[in-house]
Amino acid sequence: MNRRTSLISLSAIFCFCILAMLPACRSSRNASPPGLTGQPVASAADSNLSPKEQFKTLLNGYRPWSDVSMSVKCSLRSPKNLTISGKATMIRGREIRISFRMLGFEVGGLYADTDSIYFYEKLNRTIVVESMSRLTTASGLDLSDIQDVLLGRVTYPGARDSAGSLAGKFRVSDDGDKIILTPKASALPWHYTLLCVPETVLSSLSIAMPGKGEAQCSYAVPLATDAGPVSPSADISARYGKQSLEASFKWSLETASWNNGLSPARNLPKGYRRIPFAQLIKSLGSKQ
């Protein structure tokens, strides 16, 4: 397999496995000062606040958003090594699009909506399609929630961009220098941890699905954006069955464009050969 073919094929594996295993997350974030974009967020910590009040202060920095477009760098460290860059577009709760490019030309793409996830690569004219229900049924999180996970924002099914709504969905408990957030709906297989030393930050979100897999995702210090605090990178560690994955997204938030009234653009290639999702997962362990 030549370098170009390998890079495209592995980028497909990388993106699908990240979405298929739905990363658990670890992040740093705080309330966003108005009028700043692409700048580190100031601390929201206050030792005089109760854990519930610190959680609400953290959430109050969020702002509603409709769409965003920005450059992204995707890196895979395990089971193989690769880096590929592209242009990402998200429409809130409706779609995720990433166009992968090499030397200025599109070589493949990732597309996800509320129905399905697609990856296509142009060199071999192949496409992989998987139902979005593979994600949502196992985790309880929908496309909007997945967007929040990738951008480093607290999420809960059905609670959209509302600090008051989100705050009421979690049980908040104090654990020394940590605050534990557990969904009140016990069927959801995940929880957040807030760290309070020296400031309040969202440290981790863990997802574990018994018999299926588990994942962890660490976030960089958030930047202030038009949507409030967003992490510029997500480092993901996940296990799915016998497979393991270490990968990352790095978002170019400094040049991101928000809230432009974009509409979904389901422009998928025609006449491509379809590859089963199971075959893609299996190739994770190949030595090509």
Side-chain angles (χ1 to χ4, degrees):
M1 179 181 290
N2 62 44
R3 177 175 174 78
R4 181 178 176 184
T5 305
S6 176
L7 186 60
I8 298 168
S9 299
L10 289 177
S11 64
I13 295 169
F14 161 65
C15 290
F16 266 91
C17 288
I18 286 175
L19 290 177
M21 288 187 272
L22 190 57
C25 317
R26 182 184 309 156
S27 76
S28 299
R29 86 178 83 223
N30 297 289
S32 173
L36 296 178
T37 299
Q39 300 295 323
V41 184
S43 170
D46 186 336
S47 59
N48 295 319
L49 297 178
S50 70
K52 287 185 178 181
E53 290 171 331
Q54 291 185 59
F55 178 37
K56 288 182 179 179
T57 299
L58 185 140
L59 294 176
N60 282 335
Y62 292 170
R63 300 190 186 98
W65 61 280
S66 61
D67 57 79
V68 62
S69 298
M70 55 189 163
S71 297
V72 61
K73 180 187 292 184
C74 303
S75 299
L76 180 67
R77 296 183 298 275
S78 176
K80 303 184 181 184
N81 291 300
L82 73 93
T83 298
I84 189 168
S85 298
K87 178 68 176 293
T89 299
M90 298 189 198
I91 299 179
R92 186 64 163 148
R94 302 180 70 181
E95 109 180 346
I96 299 172
R97 301 195 306 266
I98 302 178
S99 174
F100 295 108
R101 296 182 174 275
M102 295 179 66
L103 303 176
F105 296 96
E106 184 182 52
V107 295
L110 170 72
Y111 179 87
D113 59 19
T114 56
D115 180 69
S116 302
I117 308 170
Y118 304 81
F119 180 86
Y120 59 91
E121 59 95 352
K122 290 190 170 182
L123 182 63
N124 295 309
R125 295 178 59 83
T126 57
I127 188 168
V128 182
V129 184
E130 182 57 54
S131 171
M132 180 59 72
S133 64
R134 183 185 182 98
L135 284 172
T136 57
T137 300
S139 67
L141 306 183
D142 62 17
L143 188 63
S144 287
D145 301 314
I146 294 169
Q147 291 170 336
D148 283 333
V149 165
L150 294 174
L151 297 176
R153 294 162 60 99
V154 173
T155 191
Y156 190 98
R160 293 288 171 264
D161 300 307
S162 169
S165 179
L166 280 170
K169 299 294 185 180
F170 293 91
R171 290 187 293 272
V172 182
S173 59
D174 194 351
D175 182 19
D177 62 351
K178 300 177 183 179
I179 296 174
I180 308 300
L181 307 176
T182 306
K184 290 182 178 179
S186 59
L188 296 175
W190 44 276
H191 69 272
Y192 291 100
T193 299
L194 302 184
L195 291 183
C196 309
V197 180
E199 69 275 345
T200 304
V201 296
L202 179 58
S203 172
S204 65
L205 160 62
S206 299
I207 296 178
M209 293 173 281
K212 295 183 178 179
E214 58 187 12
Q216 189 84 11
C217 172
S218 62
Y219 284 86
V221 174
L223 301 181
T225 74
D226 291 348
V230 172
S231 175
S233 67
D235 289 304
I236 298 159
S237 174
R239 179 182 58 79
Y240 187 76
K242 295 182 179 180
Q243 303 290 356
S244 61
L245 175 77
E246 291 185 13
S248 66
F249 287 101
K250 294 187 182 300
W251 311 105
S252 296
L253 293 177
E254 296 86 348
T255 56
S257 179
W258 296 85
N259 304 323
N260 292 308
L262 301 180
S263 298
R266 199 169 183 266
N267 298 322
L268 295 169
K270 306 293 185 181
Y272 277 33
R273 179 171 58 92
R274 184 164 174 168
I275 297 176
F277 180 78
Q279 180 178 329
L280 187 65
I281 293 294
K282 184 178 180 180
S283 65
L284 267 172
S286 71
K287 298 182 179 181
Q288 300 183 86

